[in-house]
Amino acid sequence: MRSPKDFFAPLALGAPAPVREIPVTPSRMIHFFDPGNEKMAAKVPDIAKKVDVLLGNLEDAVRADRKEAARAGLVSIAKANDFGKTQLWTRVNSLDSPWVLDDLVTLVTEIGDKLDVIMVPKVEGAQDIHYVDRLLAQLEARAGLTKPLLVHAILETASGVANVEEIAGASPRMQGISLGPADLAASRRMKTTRVGGGHPGYLVRTDPTGEDLNAGRTTYQQDLWHYTVARMVDACATHGILPYYGPFGDIRDVVACEDQFRNAFLLGCVGAWSLHPVQIDIAKKVFSPSPSDVAWARRVIAEMGDGTGAVMIDGKMQDDASVKQCRVVAELADALAADDPELAAAYDAATKEILG
Ligand SMILES: CC(=O)SCCNC(=O)CCNC(=O)[C@H](O)C(C)(C)COP(=O)(O)OP(=O)(O)OC[C@H]1O[C@@H](n2cnc3c(N)ncnc32)[C@H](O)[C@@H]1OP(=O)(O)O
Ligand SMILES: O=CC(=O)O
Ligand SMILES: [Mg+2]
């Protein structure tokens, strides 16, 4: 284990100093695209204007014989474009694959100054992050980078979940963690065949009302991902990094996608992946607090004065703890509104309605 005293020392001579705080910028949707797919790549400059994060995906969903084209495509897209405030991330191939070494060497050397975050799939434990941490430091030093690259882990193996706390705290580069429900289901030998979302067979049933065990018994579908998302959120919050829901594969089912994203938002996630353009607005809507929640939060903050003691607002007790929750909502709203005049106007209009 590294001593806490040198946790923030660069891991290679000449590498930039590690960050002490993870930058919290909007990342409601991490939009995946295949940089080797010409049709998708052509849409990237327009999509960049609508998303918080653009991610050039090199791993699963890119065919083995297209891996090099995807890597080269990402290099040329990054060199040819300035995406302004939209962050550029990549998902490299898994650490046991034949491609990841070239992914890291090429991307850091060629476009390390354009990339914000490197997403690492199938992370099993802190050892995987330590490997990437040192290699990135060596490559950053050689490329003369002045800003350290951050690392995002996908939680998609059973041992990754067992080790999620140590993964979250493995390096000052750790920016966040996403749930990877598809690989995680396979790794756990769950009997599902979907990419995220629920399953109609995973349910609870009300008690029988009489002799007939089938009569009048309501069933409620349960969330397969509740335990993992909640554990991931706690691990991330403990280490000051950001949790995300991952992919929702039923692109057509925009209703269930919104539900799954909202569950994650309410539990503490800051964003989710968009796999298709239709999921971008869903993530934007869900991961931006609603105007009525923002108005309420601002009202509680205003009425709570210095934030201590207890007051009654509309029949509901407010105290030091509820005002802290309201600050989470209000601060997120302010951060998002700073770059989005439409959202700012919606928040201010709702606030005016209840605060006058
Ligand atoms: C479990 C995991 O690892 S999840 C993460 C890995 N998976 C991914 O990254 C998947 C990314 N998304 C995709 O590959 C595609 O969206 C698919 C395969 C799901 C659907 O693709 P299509 O069948 O082409 O969808 P559809 O016909 O609705 O696309 C409409 C247009 O949007 C484009 N498009 C689709 N997805 C994207 C995207 N993610 N980014 C940019 N453009 C896109 C298509 O190229 C198409 O362009 P066109 O109008 O010029 O022909
Ligand atoms: O990579 C994502 C997943 O769900 O697997
Ligand atoms: Mg996966």
Side-chain angles (χ1 to χ4, degrees), residues 10 40 63 80 112 125 141 184 210 220 244 285-286 292 294 328 350:
M40 276 196 206
R63 287 170 51 101
L184 182 55
Y220 300 93
Y244 298 78
K285 174 179 169 195
V286 170
S292 60
V294 174
V328 169

Side-chain angles (χ1 to χ4, degrees), residues 19-145:
V19 292
R20 292 189 173 243
E21 297 267 347
I22 290 304
V24 181
T25 44
S27 48
R28 294 164 290 185
M29 69 301 286
I30 302 170
H31 184 74
F32 273 59
F33 71 97
D34 172 355
N37 175 325
E38 281 174 15
K39 273 214 281 184
M40 276 196 206
K43 293 194 160 45
V44 162
D46 269 348
I47 287 184
K49 297 179 194 134
K50 300 184 202 142
V51 300
D52 296 332
V53 178
L54 258 181
L55 180 144
N57 175 37
L58 309 185
E59 201 225 9
D60 293 356
V62 175
R63 287 170 51 101
D65 61 359
R66 299 290 300 161
K67 294 289 186 188
E68 271 146 36
R71 189 192 299 137
L74 182 57
V75 169
S76 50
I77 288 168
K79 285 189 170 171
N81 291 281
D82 176 356
F83 295 120
K85 283 193 166 177
T86 302
Q87 299 172 58
L88 182 64
W89 296 18
T90 185
R91 176 169 82 167
V92 293
N93 285 286
S94 61
L95 298 180
D96 60 354
S97 74
W99 304 290
V100 65
L101 189 57
D102 287 337
D103 291 345
L104 289 168
V105 171
T106 305
L107 296 181
V108 180
T109 309
E110 299 277 335
I111 55 167
D113 55 336
K114 295 275 190 132
L115 284 173
D116 296 290
V117 176
I118 296 187
M119 185 182 273
V120 181
K122 301 175 178 67
V123 172
E124 306 260 8
Q127 70 279 7
D128 290 339
I129 303 300
H130 294 159
Y131 167 77
V132 173
D133 199 3
R134 178 79 72 173
L135 181 56
L136 287 180
Q138 292 168 339
L139 294 170
E140 286 168 344
R142 198 166 67 179
L145 298 185

Side-chain angles (χ1 to χ4, degrees), residues 59-60 91 121-122 154-156 179-184 195 247 273:
E59 201 225 9
D60 293 356
R91 176 169 82 167
K122 301 175 178 67
I154 311 182
L155 194 60
E156 53 180 351
L179 172 75
D183 271 300
L184 182 55
V195 176
W273 302 359

Side-chain angles (χ1 to χ4, degrees), residues 273-286:
W273 302 359
S274 54
L275 301 183
H276 186 279
V278 78
Q279 294 182 334
I280 294 171
D281 284 342
I282 303 173
K284 183 172 178 185
K285 174 179 169 195
V286 170

Side-chain angles (χ1 to χ4, degrees), residues 190-194 196-204 220-225 248 260:
M190 288 166 65
K191 306 305 179 291
T192 52
T193 55
R194 302 171 172 208
H199 192 289
Y202 191 71
L203 50 81
V204 291
Y220 300 93
Q221 194 171 319
Q222 305 291 294
D223 184 358
L224 284 168
W225 305 109
F248 188 87
Q260 186 75 66

